[in-house]
Amino acid sequence: MAITRSTITMTPSGLFLLFLFATTASPAPIALPLSTSSRWVVDGEGRRVKLACVNWAAHLEPAVAEGLSKQPLDAISKSVAAMGFNCVRLTWPLYLLTDSSFGSVTVRQSLERLGLAESAAGVRVNNPGLLDLTLVQAFQAVVSNLASNSLMVILDNQISKPGWCCSKYDDNGFFGDKYFDPDEWLRGLEMMATMFNSSTSVVGMSLRNELRGPKQNISLWYRYMQRGAEIVHSANPDILVILSGLDYDKDLSFLSEKQVNLSFTKKLVFEYHWYGFSDGGDWGSQNPNEVCAMVIGNITRKGGFLLEQGWPLFLSEFGIDQRGVNEADNHFLSCFLSFAAEKDIDWALWALQGSYYIREGQLGLDETYGALSWDWCKARNSSFIQRLSAIQSPFQGPGLSKSSPYNMIFHPSTGLCIVTNSQLKQLQLGQCAESTAWRYTRQKKLMLKGTKYCLQPEGVSKPAKLGFGCKVSSAKWHLISSSKMHISSNLTNNGNNVCLDIDDNGTIMTNQCKCLSLDGTCNPGSQWFKIIRSSREVNDQIFKRCRSQFAQVQTF
């Protein structure tokens, strides 16, 4: 039986909401290895597996997974699983394997030669068994421990020379750069793929992070990425081969004209990065609807089209300042979550680490994008993790359930979905796992699936309701604004347009539509809803309750 608890939290806009957290029995084990089926990643039995990952850095100067001076390795792995992630994108520098004099030094030696005696002392306290392992052995130990906690691992070659990534002029960016010899890179990929060819928990390899710089060009991309893919697949045929694009992994548009030519199938995935500070959108001063629409249009042209062509696309880096003080990031996150839910895309959050041993010369730097706090003891922002949980489970895909597809109404600003109460008298926000099943018809009606109930407005600042009079014009709901996230109806009594909204308790209301265009200071978050497609197993108790209530009303 599920154990449920609830907490009250306050969103940045001041809305007090009831968040429900459910602890359920562990899902069935994933049948590894993974492969692909059209745009989906699937397991060995053909069932959809959604990659819901977090990035864990191990590519900076020490070449040691961050945080081992703060907490025991097993505690870190367990915190990853507790936050709902099912995999880790673990970064590594090329020289870890291709430079034997570097990879053979111990964790202690690596830290101490960088003047990190305090970090070395922390590793001695929290992970004494790792301190005198070589860097390669310590990396293997991290992978092994993640596996023991049922976490999948994607190995990401972040950079060649260990250090912070990335700069256009760091000589690590593209084939032929000072620290990026293509032959050495191919050799390192083969070594890493071979090292883990008996580890089922290593499910994929990202061949190179964020290709960039003045030397980048498409012809060399095809030459070396195809060679790298073939080498990795030959060394380890079980793993997914993940290819990044150009311009800091923000451009895969060239693939619309010419796809890669590889000898193998059902193992290829493409990756894309999306941050609010580099997506071309002015999230801080322009209208969020217009910015969201523009940015998603660009992403579709530069990478999202691959989903429609039947290729998996992995959003392998995205993130925000988790202190919640950046309003631009807050707008970006709601837009991101709406896109991720609608496309049901695989993703990896940047980042797990709450702090670094050393980053760009600064000791103990706080990572404000980190899911964990500076001391690695707790989640930095539990409200953020709650919002993220909405997209950690798949909505669609092969073998997900026998349910016919239906719609869910997702509220990205909270990470919750519209649900009904036991008497069907009130609509409110709740866990998406408990979502009401809707049917958005060609006539623009939002029908309760399996009934003749439809969503209707009562008036301005009044709760939305379920009713039978579905032929009236007010029962039609249009997706307006550039973002298509305002769900609007025209009131029959006065002709005014209203939009779905929420009150301070999470009750679904209708109010005057706000922030539709132009105004960059307005926050549309409470009125942003996304109608998404799902084939998840419908909660039987909720569905039967709705049908029973509907039958009682008909009988009456």
Side-chain angles (χ1 to χ4, degrees):
M1 177 180 293
I3 302 172
T4 303
R5 63 184 176 88
S6 63
T7 64
I8 295 289
T9 189
M10 188 174 73
T11 69
S13 61
L15 299 172
F16 284 89
L17 298 174
L18 180 67
F19 284 161
L20 301 176
F21 299 83
T23 304
T24 59
S26 300
I30 296 171
L32 299 173
L34 303 181
S35 59
T36 66
S37 175
S38 183
R39 59 146 294 188
W40 309 108
V41 174
V42 297
D43 69 5
E45 296 178 0
R47 295 189 302 259
R48 167 83 194 280
V49 174
K50 186 171 186 177
L51 300 175
C53 313
V54 65
N55 283 272
W56 189 357
H59 66 275
L60 278 77
E61 284 89 343
V64 177
E66 302 292 338
L68 298 179
S69 63
K70 302 290 187 184
Q71 295 293 328
L73 172 57
D74 193 59
I76 296 173
S77 295
K78 283 180 168 54
S79 72
V80 173
M83 289 186 288
F85 302 105
N86 64 10
C87 81
V88 167
R89 183 176 181 251
L90 184 64
T91 68
W92 60 283
L94 187 67
Y95 292 177
L96 177 69
L97 294 186
T98 61
D99 183 347
S100 59
S101 64
F102 178 78
S104 61
V105 304
T106 66
V107 171
R108 183 200 302 268
Q109 291 168 335
S110 181
L111 293 170
E112 290 182 346
R113 71 183 179 183
L114 291 167
L116 302 174
E118 185 175 338
S119 292
V123 175
R124 183 172 64 249
V125 171
N126 288 294
N127 292 284
L130 301 180
L131 189 60
D132 292 310
L133 295 182
T134 67
L135 296 180
V136 171
Q137 290 171 335
F139 188 85
Q140 291 172 309
V142 170
V143 172
S144 177
N145 188 266
L146 290 168
S148 70
N149 283 279
S150 301
L151 292 163
M152 298 177 289
V153 179
I154 292 172
L155 304 172
D156 168 58
N157 177 220
Q158 182 87 183
I159 204 165
S160 297
K161 181 183 178 183
W164 178 247
C165 180
C166 301
S167 164
K168 188 176 291 186
Y169 303 104
D170 60 8
D171 290 323
N172 263 286
F174 200 73
F175 308 110
D177 279 352
K178 180 179 179 180
Y179 302 116
F180 196 171
D181 175 78
D183 292 331
E184 182 180 20
W185 172 71
L186 294 171
R187 179 164 56 89
L189 290 180
E190 184 175 26
M191 294 171 71
M192 184 62 77
T194 301
M195 180 182 298
F196 291 103
N197 63 6
S198 61
S199 173
T200 56
S201 65
V202 175
V203 298
M205 278 183 61
S206 293
L207 301 196
R208 186 72 174 199
N209 182 70
E210 295 194 352
L211 294 168
R212 62 198 179 276
K215 291 183 180 179
Q216 62 182 331
N217 69 80
I218 293 173
S219 63
L220 287 181
W221 186 94
Y222 281 103
R223 178 191 302 176
Y224 290 116
M225 294 302 267
Q226 288 178 160
R227 286 179 62 186
E230 294 287 2
I231 284 172
V232 167
H233 182 72
S234 178
N236 192 336
D238 284 340
I239 61 176
L240 300 173
V241 177
I242 305 171
L243 306 187
S244 62
L246 300 173
D247 189 23
Y248 294 88
D249 205 6
K250 297 182 296 178
D251 188 5
L252 291 158
S253 60
F254 49 91
L255 293 170
S256 64
E257 300 293 331
K258 177 186 175 183
Q259 255 301 339
V260 294
N261 182 16
L262 300 172
S263 64
F264 59 90
T265 59
K266 299 186 181 301
K267 291 291 183 181
L268 181 62
V269 175
F270 295 99
E271 62 180 321
Y272 192 93
H273 291 180
W274 183 9
Y275 291 99
F277 59 75
S278 62
D279 61 10
D282 186 349
W283 294 100
S285 61
Q286 292 185 355
N287 181 268
N289 284 297
E290 295 169 343
V291 176
C292 184
M294 181 273 291
V295 168
I296 287 178
N298 287 341
I299 289 173
T300 300
R301 287 189 294 274
K302 291 188 174 183
F305 68 90
L306 289 163
L307 296 171
E308 305 305 318
Q309 291 186 355
W311 298 98
L313 183 64
F314 177 35
L315 278 174
S316 57
E317 284 189 27
F318 78 95
I320 63 164
D321 183 339
Q322 292 194 34
R323 292 172 297 180
V325 297
N326 188 324
E327 191 63 27
D329 267 353
N330 295 335
H331 293 323
F332 158 77
L333 180 60
S334 291
C335 181
F336 171 85
L337 290 173
S338 72
F339 176 84
E342 181 182 30
K343 299 300 183 183
D344 199 16
I345 203 163
D346 301 286
W347 51 265
L349 172 71
W350 185 272
L352 174 66
Q353 57 270 10
S355 56
Y356 298 90
Y357 304 116
I358 185 171
R359 174 179 149 183
E360 298 174 293
Q362 185 170 341
L363 276 63
L365 181 70
D366 185 31
E367 175 55 273
T368 60
Y369 277 52
L372 294 175
S373 57
W374 180 87
D375 56 9
W376 294 63
C377 287
K378 61 184 179 181
R380 181 179 295 266
N381 185 333
S382 59
S383 295
F384 171 80
I385 298 299
Q386 161 63 23
R387 289 176 71 181
L388 204 60
S389 70
I391 60 169
Q392 286 177 326
S393 298
F395 294 105
Q396 306 176 58
L400 193 59
S401 78
K402 296 180 180 179
S403 296
S404 59
Y406 58 92
N407 296 116
M408 302 166 68
I409 306 177
F410 176 59
H411 190 251
S413 294
T414 58
L416 302 173
C417 290
I418 295 182
V419 302
T420 58
N421 67 4
S422 58
Q423 289 79 36
L424 301 183
K425 290 182 178 179
Q426 188 176 71
L427 298 167
Q428 58 196 41
L429 292 178
Q431 286 182 295
C432 290
E434 305 294 322
S435 172
T436 300
W438 300 90
R439 186 167 59 89
Y440 188 48
T441 71
R442 294 181 180 179
Q443 294 76 33
K444 309 298 182 184
K445 309 291 179 68
L446 277 165
M447 308 293 300
L448 197 63
K449 184 181 178 183
T451 78
K452 294 184 179 180
Y453 277 119
C454 65
L455 183 64
Q456 296 179 358
E458 284 267 77
V460 177
S461 300
K462 293 184 178 181
K465 68 174 185 178
L466 291 172
F468 285 116
C470 300
K471 293 183 179 181
V472 297
S473 61
S474 61
K476 290 186 177 181
W477 297 90
H478 299 272
L479 309 182
I480 63 171
S481 77
S482 301
S483 67
K484 304 300 182 187
M485 284 195 280
H486 282 81
I487 302 179
S488 175
S489 173
N490 187 273
L491 293 176
T492 54
N493 58 348
N494 57 22
N496 289 334
N497 284 334
V498 292
C499 284
L500 290 184
D501 204 339
I502 59 173
D503 69 8
D504 292 353
N505 298 310
T507 301
I508 307 303
M509 312 288 289
T510 52
N511 283 312
Q512 294 287 348
C513 301
K514 64 180 181 180
C515 314
L516 298 180
S517 62
L518 300 179
D519 187 357
T521 64
C522 187
N523 182 2
S526 68
Q527 291 190 353
W528 269 6
F529 292 85
K530 177 64 72 171
I531 299 175
I532 62 176
R533 184 179 172 88
S534 177
S535 56
R536 286 181 180 176
E537 198 72 52
V538 178
N539 187 304
D540 284 340
Q541 290 184 342
I542 294 176
F543 188 68
K544 288 176 181 178
R545 186 176 70 213
C546 291
R547 291 298 297 267
S548 174
Q549 292 288 332
F550 172 63
Q552 290 175 24
V553 173
Q554 278 191 315
T555 301
F556 178 79

